[in-house]
Amino acid sequence: MMKRLGISLFMLLFSVAVMAQDAAQLHETAREFMRQGDYSNAILVLNRAIKMQPSNLEIAKDLGLNYYFAKDYSKALDIYKPLIERADADDQCFQIAGDIYLAQDNPKECEKVYKKGLKKFPQSGALYNEFGELLLAQKDYTAIKQWEKGIEMDPGFSKNYYNACKYYYFTTDKVWSILYGEIFLNIEPSGTTAPEIKNIVSEGYKKLFADTDL
C-alpha cells in the first residue's frame, strides 16, 4: 500500500514538473514571437501556457501585454484588471494597466491606477514618470512634482531626469534643466534620447552664460 502511494505521489510530482517545464518553454517561445513583433502567434502560445499555469503572473502579464500591442485593449484590460488586485502584483502591472486605459482614451481611470500603484509601490520611479507624463498631456504642470518625487524615491531611474530636464528647459530656470540633463547623461550616455538631452544641456549653458544677471 505504501509503495503504491509512493509511486502515485512520484507520478503526480513528475506531472507537475513536466507541466511547469512545458509552460516555461511555451513562455520563452512566445517571447521570441514578441521580439519579432508577431503578437498574434505570441497570444496563441501564451493562451496555451496560461492554461497550464493559471496563476503564473509573468505569463499573464505577457499575454495582456501582447493584446495591448495588438491593440485589442478590451482583452488586455480583462487580464490586467484582476492582475492589479493580486497580492503578488508588481509595479509594472499598474504601469501597463494605466497605459491600457490611456490607449482607450480614459485618463481618469489611468490616473486612478497610477495612484493605486504608487500607494503600493511608493518607490517606483517608473510609475512617477508615467503619472507625470499623463498630467503633462492634460496641461497639468504639477507633472514636475511627480518627476522630482520619482527622482527622490528612485534616483537610479533615468526617465524622470529626462522629463524634468525638458520641463525646466522651457521655463526660466535653466540651472535645474542643466543639472537634471547632466545626471541623465551620466546614467544613459549612449541612450537613444542622449543626443536630444545633450543639445538641451548645451543650449541651456549658452542661455545661462548669456544672462546678464548670472
Side-chain angles (χ1 to χ4, degrees):
M1 180 68 179
M2 289 298 294
K3 184 177 180 181
R4 290 168 68 183
L5 183 62
I7 292 171
S8 298
L9 182 60
F10 172 78
M11 292 302 293
L12 177 62
L13 292 172
F14 179 76
S15 298
V16 170
V18 169
M19 284 185 68
Q21 184 182 20
D22 287 346
Q25 288 173 343
L26 287 171
H27 194 190
E28 186 51 43
T29 299
R31 284 186 164 172
E32 185 56 39
F33 281 128
M34 286 176 71
R35 286 189 280 270
Q36 297 169 8
D38 188 348
Y39 307 125
S40 297
N41 274 319
I43 289 167
L44 287 172
V45 175
L46 286 166
N47 272 311
R48 286 174 57 196
I50 202 71
K51 286 178 182 176
M52 293 179 178
Q53 290 190 348
S55 62
N56 189 305
L57 180 68
E58 294 304 318
I59 292 174
K61 281 169 59 179
D62 277 351
L63 178 58
L65 192 58
N66 274 278
Y67 279 125
Y68 170 72
F69 288 149
K71 301 187 186 305
D72 193 339
Y73 303 128
S74 295
K75 285 186 178 178
L77 204 55
D78 285 343
I79 291 170
Y80 269 89
K81 268 186 177 179
L83 281 188
I84 61 175
E85 300 300 327
R86 285 174 51 163
D88 60 345
D90 57 16
D91 61 335
Q92 192 179 46
C93 289
F94 292 91
Q95 185 184 350
I96 296 169
D99 290 344
I100 296 167
Y101 277 119
L102 201 56
Q104 290 184 319
D105 197 24
N106 192 344
K108 286 186 178 179
E109 286 301 318
C110 177
E111 183 172 340
K112 286 180 185 177
V113 169
Y114 289 154
K115 285 181 176 177
K116 185 175 182 178
L118 284 167
K119 190 174 181 179
K120 186 174 181 179
F121 299 101
Q123 293 184 311
S124 173
L127 282 173
Y128 286 111
N129 179 65
E130 296 274 342
F131 191 14
E133 289 182 353
L134 172 68
L135 292 174
L136 190 66
Q138 298 172 317
K139 300 189 185 304
D140 182 343
Y141 299 106
T142 62
I144 187 60
K145 293 182 180 179
Q146 298 303 320
W147 294 322
E148 291 187 321
K149 188 66 176 178
I151 289 167
E152 176 191 344
M153 301 302 287
D154 189 1
F157 186 79
S158 65
K159 288 186 179 179
N160 287 305
Y161 296 104
Y162 169 82
N163 279 313
C165 169
K166 290 180 68 176
Y167 174 88
Y168 278 117
Y169 179 71
F170 293 106
T171 70
T172 56
D173 193 339
K174 297 297 183 289
V175 173
W176 279 108
S177 174
I178 292 167
L179 287 172
Y180 285 135
E182 293 279 14
I183 297 169
F184 173 82
L185 292 171
N186 282 332
I187 298 172
E188 285 195 38
S190 304
T192 55
T193 53
E196 177 190 6
I197 297 301
K198 284 178 182 177
N199 184 60
I200 287 175
V201 170
S202 175
E203 290 300 312
Y205 274 121
K206 288 178 185 176
K207 290 180 180 179
L208 185 67
F209 289 117
D211 189 344
T212 54
D213 295 327
L214 179 63

